[in-house]
Amino acid sequence: MVPEIAVTHFTDPACPFAYSSIPAFTVLRWRYGDQLRWRLVTIGLSESTEQYEARGYTPARAALGAAHFRRYGMPFLVAPRERMVATSPACRAIVATRLLQPGREHDALRSLQLAWFTTSLLLDEPKAIREALAGAGGLDVEAIVNAIDDETTLGAYEQDKAETRTAEGGPTHFQGRARQTDGPVRYSAPSLVMELDGRRLEGGGFQPVEAYDVLIANLDTGLDRRPPAENPSEALEAFPEGLVTQEVAAVMAHNNMEPDRAAAERALLELVASGAVRRTTLGNDALWQLA
């Protein structure tokens, strides 16, 4: 039996770096599957909008920042929100999902990330969180939203925050990828910590997929390493929840080469025309799913 590599994923649904890393994580899921055992830890970037306002952030500044991140390939709606949004309620929705439906917290994170960056929803409000989570089929949305302020959820969320803020002196801190915004030095979003047989390696902050691949190769060369998808249909079959264009291109890229986004999109459009794939507009891009 091949041992699993334990992957601790520190993240926050409002971080554009974490959102832009989704294609890299999709490649890891495609390439190694269940040989990676993921554990999600929420950072809690902000408990209130005042934290952002004190740093000079405004809805216009946030929209301009989103425009900067389009170069990494994920879909964005570049438009100012009505106001700044605190991340704590969305983080607690992820924690509540982890407690109520273990394993589905990753789906909750994805839905909240897509909503954060491709809609103008105010994702610190229950109604908006419900709408975002509805995109992940099978979630008990009402139970999750109702549990956001439960003592159990709050306690688990505080444990996440405390664990996140233990980066001082470690590799992520050494590499300049840690942050110190509210007290102790913390892991930035996204950070991956990989562990196997007492060995621990960190990929702190925003990293290319080859960085994570190097960590895995140094932990265990006995893993099965799935080759790239030969076509978009093969990629979409593995991810029934759907993939955006950059994810499809990344899964089809050979040996960590630069994804050919234009070629992937052409192939996807041909599949839409044939009726094999459906396309749902998402920001300045689309979500693709098998029909």
Side-chain angles (χ1 to χ4, degrees):
M1 179 179 176
V2 177
E4 297 175 340
I5 294 176
V7 182
T8 301
H9 178 193
F10 295 96
T11 194
D12 192 287
C15 177
F17 285 105
Y19 179 65
S20 298
S21 292
I22 286 177
F25 298 151
T26 300
V27 169
L28 296 183
R29 290 166 61 200
W30 165 270
R31 189 173 287 168
Y32 298 108
D34 292 339
Q35 298 169 107
L36 303 181
R37 178 165 42 86
W38 295 79
R39 184 171 70 94
L40 191 58
V41 179
T42 59
I43 293 174
L45 289 175
S46 61
E47 297 298 318
S48 67
T49 58
E50 286 78 9
Q51 288 177 263
Y52 286 131
E53 291 160 1
R55 300 174 202 159
Y57 285 99
T58 65
R61 181 178 171 185
L64 290 170
H68 168 79
F69 282 91
R70 285 185 297 191
R71 61 180 175 162
Y72 297 116
M74 287 298 289
F76 279 89
L77 173 66
V78 180
R81 276 186 165 82
E82 178 183 331
R83 59 172 175 79
M84 295 301 297
V85 177
T87 75
S88 176
C91 286
R92 284 183 276 127
I94 294 167
V95 172
T97 305
R98 188 177 72 210
L99 295 172
L100 295 170
Q101 294 181 268
R104 295 301 308 278
E105 62 269 19
H106 308 283
D107 300 315
L109 169 65
R110 180 180 177 87
S111 293
L112 288 163
Q113 286 178 304
L114 289 172
W116 206 290
F117 294 103
T118 67
T119 77
S120 57
L121 291 171
L122 301 176
L123 286 159
D124 53 4
E125 296 181 354
K127 179 180 178 182
I129 293 174
R130 284 190 186 91
E131 186 173 337
L133 293 179
L139 288 183
D140 190 342
V141 175
E142 282 303 310
I144 291 166
V145 174
N146 289 338
I148 285 175
D149 294 319
D150 281 359
E151 286 188 12
T152 302
T153 302
L154 290 169
Y157 170 59
E158 290 300 323
Q159 288 178 1
D160 276 20
K161 289 176 63 180
E163 183 177 353
T164 298
R165 288 154 177 82
T166 59
E168 187 167 6
T172 299
H173 193 194
F174 173 80
Q175 200 181 11
R177 300 299 183 95
R179 298 291 180 266
Q180 190 171 15
T181 55
D182 54 8
V185 177
R186 64 168 174 80
Y187 289 99
S188 58
S191 289
L192 299 188
V193 175
M194 300 187 180
E195 298 176 89
L196 180 67
D197 296 334
R199 291 173 293 157
R200 173 187 171 103
L201 299 176
E202 295 187 10
F206 187 59
Q207 301 276 1
V209 66
E210 52 264 42
Y212 305 125
D213 209 32
V214 167
L215 297 186
I216 291 169
N218 277 275
L219 282 172
D220 192 351
T221 58
L223 298 183
D224 292 327
R225 193 171 187 272
R226 189 179 187 180
E230 294 185 1
N231 52 63
S233 295
E234 186 181 1
L236 294 177
E237 185 176 358
F239 297 97
E241 70 275 15
L243 299 174
V244 301
T245 307
Q246 189 71 14
E247 289 179 286
V248 175
V251 168
M252 293 174 60
H254 284 261
N255 203 29
N256 300 327
M257 299 292 287
E258 187 71 22
D260 190 340
R261 179 189 175 91
E265 188 171 39
R266 286 194 298 271
L268 285 161
L269 289 171
E270 289 176 359
L271 289 169
V272 170
S274 73
V277 166
R278 66 177 181 270
R279 179 188 188 279
T280 304
T281 299
L282 203 61
N284 62 332
D285 187 33
L287 182 73
W288 312 85
Q289 294 170 287
L290 290 179

